[in-house]
Amino acid sequence: MHVRARKKVGETADWTQTGEESRRTKRLTVTPKPEPDTSPPPAQNTVSSMIEMSRLKLTMEWLMVAFVALLLAGQVSSEEIPYEHLMSQIQACPKECHCTPSFPNAVYCDNKGLKRIPVIPPYTWYLYLQNNLIDVLSANALHNATQLRWINLNHNKITSEGLEADALKGMSNLVHLYMEDNLLSSIPSPLPAKLEQLRLSRNRISKIPPGVFSGMDHLTLLDLQSNKLQDDAVTEVSLKGLSNLIQINLAKNQLNTMPLGLPPTTTQIFLDNNNIEKIPAEYFKGLPKLVSLRLNRNKLANGGIPKNVFNLSSILDLQLSHNQLTEIPVISSGLEHLHLDHNKIKSVNSSDICPPGALDDYLDDKGPRLRYLRLDGNEIKPPIPRELMMCFRLLRAIVI
C-alpha cells in the first residue's frame, strides 16, 4: 500500500512539473519584451514629497505600536500588581532568596541550605523552597504571604510534628502544594479550600485523617505514591469530599485491595507496585469516566479478575504488566493501549481477546480501537495469529 501511494505522489509531481513547464512556455510566448524606460526622471519636489510621506507613515506606525505596547503594559501591570506594590515586593525580597523584576510575583529560595523559611513579601504568588533543610513549617512562617498560589517545598525535612496545625490555613488562594520527599507521616490538615493539586509522594504517610478532604471541591490531582498507606487508611470516609477528583496516584504503597471511596469523576488511577490480588466484580460501576488504569507489579491472577471487569466503554489505557496472569482478560472494543508483558501467558487465542462482533463492526467503523499491545516477557512464541491482526486492524505496534 505504501509503495503504491509513493508512486501516485511521484506521478502527481511529474504532472505538476509538466504543467509548470507548459505555463512557463506560455508566458515566454505571450509576454512581450519590455521597452526601455524613456520617461524623464521625476522632479526633485516630487521625490521630496514621497520621502516625507514615507517618513510620516513610518512615524505613525511606530507611534501606534508604542501606544498599543503601553496600553497592554498598563493592563498587565494593573491586573497583576500595581507599581507601588511591585516596588515594595522587590525591596522586600529576602536576602537569602532571589527575586527578578521580570517575574515580580515569584520568589526563589531553592537550593540555599535554609533551615527556616524567611519572611516572604506580601505580593508573592509563586514560592520556591525546594532542596533545603527546612524541618518546621510554623503557623506564622507564611502569614505575610496571603496571596500565594503555588508553593514548592519538595526535598526538605518537614515532619508532621513540625507542621503546625494552622500553617496552611491562611493560604486562601493556594492552588498547588508540593511537599514531596519530606518526612510527613500524615496528610497535612487543614488544607486550603481552593487547592487543585496536592503532591505528597515519597513521604512516610500511613494515615489520612477523617474529614481532611471535606470541602475540597477544587482538588483534581492527589499524588500519594511511595508512602506507607494500607487498606484501612484509604476508605470512603477518608476520601470523602473529593467530589471533583480526576487523578489519584497510590502506587508504591502497601495496599492489598482496591481502594474504596473514589469519586465518579476519577479518570486516572495509578496502583502500581502494591499487593492487590483481586478486583471486585462491580468495582468500576461507580467510575463511569475511567480512562486510564495502571495495576502493574501487583499479585493479580486469573481468579482475581472477573470476566468482564475490564469491559468498560470509557477505558483507553489498561496496564497489567508484571502480574501472574495466564490468560488475556476480556477487553472493550474502545481500548487503545494494553500492557500484559511479564505475566505467565502461554498463548494468544484471538477468539478470547477479540471483542464479540468485532469483525462485523468494521463495516460501520465501530471496530476495536486497539493500537498498542505488549505481550513480551510471557511464554508466547511467534508467529502472531493472523486472526489477531484481522481483529485489531488499527494495531500499530505489538511487542511479543
Side-chain angles (χ1 to χ4, degrees), residues 323-327 340 342-347 377-380:
N323 278 281
Q324 301 173 14
L325 302 176
T326 58
E327 300 174 0
L340 292 170
H342 298 90
N343 277 278
K344 299 179 180 180
I345 302 171
K346 295 183 178 181
S347 62
N378 284 283
E379 300 176 23
I380 304 171

Side-chain angles (χ1 to χ4, degrees), residues 142-212:
L142 299 170
H143 73 282
N144 199 39
T146 56
Q147 297 187 27
L148 274 176
R149 268 78 163 167
W150 182 308
I151 182 170
N152 190 331
L153 285 160
N154 292 346
H155 291 279
N156 277 283
K157 298 182 180 298
I158 302 173
T159 63
S160 293
E161 293 74 21
L163 182 61
E164 294 187 10
D166 294 331
L168 303 173
K169 186 177 181 180
M171 302 181 193
S172 58
N173 296 303
L174 194 68
V175 293
H176 288 236
L177 176 57
Y178 292 75
M179 296 189 70
E180 301 176 342
D181 295 283
N182 276 277
L183 304 173
L184 299 174
S185 58
S186 178
I187 291 183
S189 177
L191 292 167
K194 291 185 180 180
L195 204 62
E196 295 178 5
Q197 294 191 14
L198 178 59
R199 299 178 183 267
L200 300 172
S201 62
R202 293 178 297 278
N203 275 275
R204 301 175 180 179
I205 298 173
S206 60
K207 58 182 178 180
I208 303 176
V212 68

Side-chain angles (χ1 to χ4, degrees), residues 335-362:
L335 190 69
E336 295 185 2
H337 296 261
L338 178 59
H339 295 243
L340 292 170
D341 54 288
H342 298 90
N343 277 278
K344 299 179 180 180
I345 302 171
K346 295 183 178 181
S347 62
V348 180
N349 191 335
S350 59
S351 61
D352 292 338
I353 188 175
C354 190
L359 298 179
D360 299 334
D361 287 338
Y362 273 106

Side-chain angles (χ1 to χ4, degrees), residues 55-70:
R55 288 177 176 175
L56 179 61
K57 183 179 180 181
L58 184 61
T59 302
M60 291 298 293
E61 290 178 352
W62 275 109
L63 286 173
M64 181 60 70
V65 170
F67 174 74
V68 173
L70 288 172

Side-chain angles (χ1 to χ4, degrees), residues 87-136:
M87 295 306 299
S88 64
Q89 176 78 2
I90 295 175
Q91 293 172 0
C93 183
K95 62 179 181 179
E96 304 93 337
C97 308
H98 173 67
C99 305
T100 171
S102 57
F103 295 99
N105 298 112
V107 177
Y108 301 90
C109 307
D110 51 306
N111 296 284
K112 301 294 184 180
L114 301 177
K115 294 185 178 181
R116 293 290 184 272
I117 298 177
V119 178
I120 305 299
Y123 303 107
T124 304
W125 286 10
Y126 308 98
L127 178 58
Y128 298 89
L129 287 163
Q130 67 270 24
N131 299 313
N132 281 293
L133 303 173
I134 300 169
D135 56 1
V136 173

